[in-house]
Amino acid sequence: MSEPTGKKPAGEDLQQQALFYHRYPRAGKLEIQATKPLGNQRDLALAYSPGVGAPCIAIHENPNDAAQYTSRANLVAVISNGTAVLGLGNIGPLASKPVMEGKAVLFKKFAGIDVFDIEIDAPSIDGMVSTISALEPTFGGINLEDIKAPECFEVERILREKMQIPVFHDDQHGTAIIVAAAILNGLELAGKALENVKIVASGAGAAALACLNLLVSLGARRENIWVFDIDGLVYPGRETNMDQWKAIYAQESDAHALADHIAGADVFLGLSVAGALKPSLLKQMAPRPMIMALANPVPEIMPDLARAEREDAMICTGRSDFPNQVNNVLCFPYIFRGALDCGARTINEEMKMAAVRAIAGLAKEEVWEASRTSANGEPLIFGPDYLIPSPFDPRLILRIAPAVARAAEETGVAERPIPDYQAYYENLTRFAFRSGLVMKPVFAAAKAAARKRVIFSDGEDERVMRAAQVLIEEGISQPILIGRPNVLETRMKRYGLRMKLHEDFEIINPESDSRFREYVDEYLSFVARKGVTPERARTIVRTNTTVIGALAVKRGDADALLCGVEGRFEKHLRDIGSIIGKHEDVRDFSSLGLLISNRGATFFADTHVTYCPSAEEIAETTIQSARAVARFGITAKAALVSHSNFGSRDSESATKMREALALVRARMPELEVDGEMHGDTAISELLRERAMPNSTLTGEANLLIFPSLDAAHITMTVVQSMLEALHVGPILLGSALPAHIMSPSVTSRGIVNMASLAVVEADVAASEKRRAAE
């Protein structure tokens, strides 16, 4: 007998962690927040009496105005009576509340949809229908959850007839949509057509029947579908455990066991119990069979057992620890997003099929960075182990919501059709990428520019390669990757990238390039009197990709440089400084960091370069930063922050900031700027009015200028952590030609952001050069 370890079983430990998670720092997972200010008497008059009467009258005269003046068009009810909670059964409405709160969190997290979770003590069909239908004035949509079959069918049917807003039972249709997408892709890989395949289903509950119904809508034939439940085959005339929904799939046969009908099956659809599919039965299935073993937490057959019997099988489960997880969060937030945005009266079959095709199509695109590797660390590409996208792919909303909204419009159920789908797509990027709205002007300017050549010193890095694919597809730039051709080819294939060497992008091969001698000579002209010998110069140009990239930009072989995915910032800056050099109008380089949070965009300078800048350098940084902020379509409001608040201290640091303010005002009088001031004074106009009533800064500062690198970098990283803000940058200021040094933690999306900014800078530089020549 082994000695006791004192450790809790894994399941028990998870339960304790879950209880702690739900209890602290406050009970539950949801809260309600106001979206409008309520800080004075004027706000109160507008929010409540007497101002609230105006929107009430407008809505009374035109009910559609509720979408403009209330949150209804973005509000969904998640409703359950707790009779069929996944894995827990009939635990009642109160005990189901944590699940419904969790569903609400998913709606908000993935699609920005607000939710009230409503648990109702209504076990009967009539009770549910009367309670839910009475809520129509409050909500833009209804998500039914964890209601047992067959009552769930009738409840949904009656509510859809009575209500003029979408009613969607996610346990049925969410599962069906993901299953259908996986099956379409699996059959494509197997070279089979849906209308010809044999489907054997184990389970005839709400989810299983919804899956079969949707597959029939997509082209599957009823005569090819065999359904089994706890009482065996569903056949005509069966008296036990039958209902009208199940009877649709009744098949004549004298043999009533699943084992009697599995032979030649192309698809096994399991939504029943663990172990329902015996490994030996897989041998009878058709070539390249699809195994949809979706019972939770233990599937009808474990993937390793299935794979041992049939190496050619494509397997999906409901578990996150195996490939091809069928997870409803892949679709329900985005289906509601599209339905709400177009004012859909219902979610019909065409809208569901549009979602299926959107999800299936996304799986064939390059895998998104957050989910680019499998459990064993191998890159994911479309194939047997990657039939459906990851739930964390941010592009899901960009594919599904527009497809659903368009289908609603085409079928005549959209009350507010989307007027401009391109604008709608761009608006959805705020959910997909937190940088979406802030970066929108930069992307627009980059696409409008003649495709500039951005060279990447870390061309063999996966993140850079994925970013290059996006830049090509979006028409933002012409990437130039520094890398070895054989390595690039191998990795593009491994990552499933579609771009082609020499066709879609250029390369500079550090091992063999016809320009090597010219690059060495060019480099020597910069460093020959700085202790670098010709032999050393040849070695550096062969091995230092930042040097190669900087030389390419300096020579005009590229328009902008991005480096820094590997290595120290200071080293890259030294190479840029020695080759590209500083702009003639500045004394030194500096840097700007951008944080994007729920508060909006805030810029911080100088976060990476000058440890203790002089007043002159601070003034230069402020002016350069304001110009950089303008490229985002934002008017800079600059605050020079300090431990001193408008002369409250006379330290060297405070005096330096005052001198810098005077220089900035003299050189850029149009800039809204003030200082020196405390950080909270910069953010709060109320505090500023108390300290300095005649301040030249209004509202909230969006550009914070610091007296030292320590202050800037520490403040930015602390704020980033506290607000869970997205960092864009560092943005290098003062370079003679566009060049940026990225951080080693940068994502592929971050590289796309910085490349787009570099394109805009290169376009501005080219315009200035043309004007100077004229």
Side-chain angles (χ1 to χ4, degrees):
M1 179 181 293
S2 61
E3 293 293 323
T5 62
K7 295 183 178 178
K8 294 180 179 179
E12 183 180 346
D13 185 56
L14 179 63
Q15 289 178 354
Q16 292 301 316
Q17 291 179 27
L19 291 174
F20 185 90
Y21 174 86
H22 282 79
R23 185 174 181 180
Y24 299 101
R26 54 188 297 185
K29 298 190 284 281
L30 297 173
E31 67 177 2
I32 295 175
Q33 289 186 337
T35 60
K36 299 293 191 297
L38 198 62
N40 52 48
Q41 190 65 36
R42 175 67 172 171
D43 292 342
L44 182 60
L46 293 172
Y48 199 53
S49 180
V52 75
C56 290
I57 293 171
I59 294 169
H60 178 70
E61 294 175 350
N62 181 8
N64 287 332
D65 281 352
Q68 299 183 47
Y69 300 124
T70 75
S71 62
R72 183 175 185 262
N74 194 52
L75 186 61
V76 166
V78 171
I79 301 179
S80 179
N81 64 358
T83 54
V85 179
L86 181 64
L88 300 174
N90 187 355
I91 60 175
L94 182 60
S96 75
K97 188 171 181 65
V99 180
M100 304 312 127
E101 283 190 353
K103 193 85 172 193
V105 170
L106 296 178
F107 267 107
K108 187 67 174 180
K109 170 68 175 179
F110 289 102
I113 295 173
D114 295 317
V115 167
F116 289 153
D117 65 291
I118 300 177
E119 296 73 32
I120 57 175
D121 186 6
S124 69
I125 292 175
D126 289 344
M128 282 187 278
V129 168
S130 63
T131 301
I132 296 168
S133 61
L135 298 172
E136 184 169 355
T138 300
F139 296 99
I142 303 292
N143 184 95
L144 301 177
E145 194 78 15
D146 293 349
I147 301 171
K148 70 182 181 72
E151 289 89 338
C152 61
F153 301 123
E154 194 68 7
V155 168
E156 185 185 41
R157 181 189 67 79
I158 298 172
L159 288 174
R160 291 184 63 175
E161 291 175 357
K162 293 186 66 172
M163 304 178 76
Q164 293 299 300
I165 58 174
V167 177
F168 186 83
H169 186 201
D170 184 48
D171 298 329
Q172 293 182 58
H173 310 300
T175 302
I177 288 166
I178 309 306
V179 165
I183 288 177
L184 287 184
N185 279 344
L187 294 179
E188 179 181 326
L189 289 171
K192 301 176 182 180
L194 180 59
E195 59 267 24
N196 298 327
V197 299
K198 178 180 179 180
I199 301 172
V200 173
S202 174
L209 294 177
C211 290
L212 296 175
N213 291 341
L214 186 54
L215 289 171
V216 169
S217 296
L218 289 163
R221 296 176 181 171
R222 292 184 190 274
E223 60 267 28
N224 293 340
I225 299 173
W226 298 79
V227 179
F228 299 83
D229 62 9
I230 194 171
D231 292 312
L233 178 68
V234 173
Y235 61 89
R238 198 181 91 174
E239 297 181 356
T240 59
N241 195 23
M242 285 292 290
D243 55 56
Q244 65 190 56
W245 301 279
K246 196 182 298 184
I248 294 172
Y249 295 99
Q251 290 267 47
E252 289 281 5
S253 177
D254 294 332
H256 295 168
L258 185 147
D260 299 323
H261 295 276
I262 196 70
D266 300 281
V267 178
F268 170 82
L269 175 61
L271 283 149
S272 54
V273 294
L277 181 62
K278 304 304 179 187
S280 59
L281 298 179
L282 269 65
K283 295 178 180 178
Q284 303 178 42
M285 295 185 70
R288 303 200 75 180
M290 291 208 66
I291 311 298
M292 311 295 294
L294 306 179
N296 255 328
V298 182
E300 286 79 3
I301 186 170
M302 292 297 289
D304 53 340
L305 294 178
R307 190 74 71 192
E309 291 293 334
R310 291 294 298 263
E311 291 185 357
D312 62 338
M314 289 172 278
I315 307 164
C316 297
T317 71
R319 293 171 54 135
S320 60
D321 53 345
F322 292 107
N324 297 322
Q325 183 194 15
V326 174
N327 190 327
N328 290 13
V329 78
L330 273 166
C331 70
F332 72 79
Y334 318 117
I335 289 173
F336 269 98
R337 182 74 275 158
L340 291 172
D341 291 340
C342 71
R345 296 188 299 274
T346 186
I347 295 174
N348 56 31
E349 284 298 297
E350 291 80 4
M351 294 161 73
K352 288 186 282 184
M353 288 191 288
V356 170
R357 295 187 179 102
I359 294 167
L362 181 57
K364 300 172 190 176
E365 298 183 31
E366 290 77 15
V367 179
W368 194 250
E369 182 177 11
S371 54
R372 65 181 183 266
T373 55
S374 63
N376 61 9
E378 289 298 312
L380 290 172
I381 58 173
F382 177 61
D385 287 334
Y386 188 74
L387 297 172
I388 44 180
S390 161
F392 293 98
D393 192 321
R395 298 169 297 179
L396 284 163
I397 194 170
L398 302 177
R399 304 295 185 271
I400 299 173
V404 168
R406 195 181 292 275
E409 180 181 349
E410 291 172 351
T411 54
V413 299
E415 294 286 353
R416 301 184 305 276
I418 305 297
D420 183 341
Y421 275 93
Q422 181 58 39
Y424 180 54
Y425 179 91
E426 292 174 357
N427 187 49
L428 288 174
T429 59
R430 74 187 194 274
F431 300 115
F433 311 108
R434 284 189 292 170
S435 61
L437 284 181
V438 174
M439 291 298 300
K440 182 178 178 180
V442 176
F443 289 143
K447 291 179 181 179
R451 288 164 60 93
K452 300 298 181 184
R453 300 160 301 168
V454 178
I455 189 165
F456 296 88
S457 64
D458 304 287
E460 295 177 359
D461 187 277
E462 179 182 352
R463 293 164 292 175
V464 170
M465 296 176 72
R466 291 185 182 278
Q469 178 79 67
V470 174
L471 294 169
I472 293 166
E473 291 178 350
E474 296 292 327
I476 293 172
S477 77
Q478 291 179 273
I480 303 173
L481 304 187
I482 300 177
R484 295 159 292 178
N486 60 324
V487 174
L488 292 171
E489 290 277 17
T490 300
R491 293 184 180 179
M492 283 191 295
K493 183 177 180 180
R494 187 181 185 205
Y495 304 145
L497 300 176
R498 291 171 290 175
M499 60 184 184
K500 296 180 180 179
L501 200 68
H502 301 303
E503 292 184 27
D504 296 319
F505 65 95
E506 301 176 43
I507 69 164
I508 290 181
N509 180 2
E511 293 182 344
S512 176
D513 193 284
S514 60
R515 294 163 289 187
F516 175 68
R517 187 182 299 277
E518 296 173 9
Y519 274 41
V520 171
D521 291 342
E522 186 92 14
Y523 183 57
L524 269 173
S525 70
F526 300 125
V527 298
R529 294 185 179 274
K530 297 180 181 179
V532 178
T533 64
E535 184 62 32
R536 177 62 181 156
R538 284 190 286 271
T539 300
I540 291 173
V541 172
R542 286 284 191 200
T543 59
N544 188 325
T545 55
T546 297
V547 167
I548 296 173
L551 287 168
V553 173
K554 185 70 173 180
R555 287 167 44 87
D557 296 338
D559 300 303
L561 165 68
L562 261 65
C563 61
V565 172
E566 295 181 2
R568 294 171 57 233
F569 184 95
E570 295 84 355
K571 180 180 180 299
H572 295 290
L573 183 61
R574 185 168 60 249
D575 292 333
I576 291 171
S578 64
I579 298 170
I580 294 177
K582 297 185 287 289
H583 195 280
E584 59 184 9
D585 294 335
V586 302
R587 291 170 179 259
D588 200 359
F589 296 104
S590 57
S591 71
L592 181 66
L594 165 60
L595 292 186
I596 303 171
S597 68
N598 292 334
R599 294 178 56 88
T602 307
F603 296 83
F604 299 75
D606 168 15
T607 56
H608 280 77
V609 179
T610 309
Y611 291 100
C612 188
S614 65
E616 178 71 31
E617 288 170 329
I618 290 171
E620 287 183 355
T621 296
T622 304
I623 293 169
Q624 290 184 81
S625 296
R627 290 170 179 163
V629 169
R631 295 195 180 105
F632 292 84
I634 298 172
T635 300
K637 292 174 177 262
L640 277 60
V641 296
S642 170
H643 69 285
S644 174
N645 206 31
F646 298 108
S648 64
R649 302 285 291 273
D650 286 322
S651 66
E652 181 180 346
S653 172
T655 302
K656 177 174 68 173
M657 299 305 278
R658 283 177 223 148
E659 293 174 358
L661 176 65
L663 293 170
V664 171
R665 284 177 169 170
R667 297 174 186 176
M668 198 176 190
E670 69 275 17
L671 176 62
E672 192 172 324
V673 60
D674 208 346
E676 82 287 6
M677 68 180 76
H678 289 169
D680 55 355
T681 304
I683 300 300
S684 169
E685 187 171 30
L686 180 62
L687 293 178
R688 199 179 317 126
E689 287 177 351
R690 292 174 182 172
M692 181 57 63
N694 61 346
S695 172
T696 53
L697 181 64
T698 61
E700 180 176 318
N702 56 22
L703 172 58
L704 304 180
I705 308 296
F706 293 84
S708 69
L709 186 148
D710 280 348
H713 193 270
I714 291 170
T715 302
M716 185 184 72
T717 53
V718 169
V719 171
Q720 179 183 5
S721 179
M722 291 178 66
L723 297 183
E724 297 183 348
L726 176 70
H727 178 234
V728 177
I731 301 166
L732 186 63
L733 305 174
S735 178
L737 296 168
H740 294 289
I741 305 166
M742 299 172 290
S743 65
S745 61
V746 70
T747 64
S748 61
R749 186 65 187 183
I751 296 171
V752 171
N753 290 340
M754 292 304 299
S756 301
L757 183 61
V759 166
V760 175
E761 292 172 344
D763 191 54
V764 170
S767 298
E768 291 176 349
K769 186 176 181 179
R770 284 195 300 269
R771 285 195 296 269
E774 293 171 358

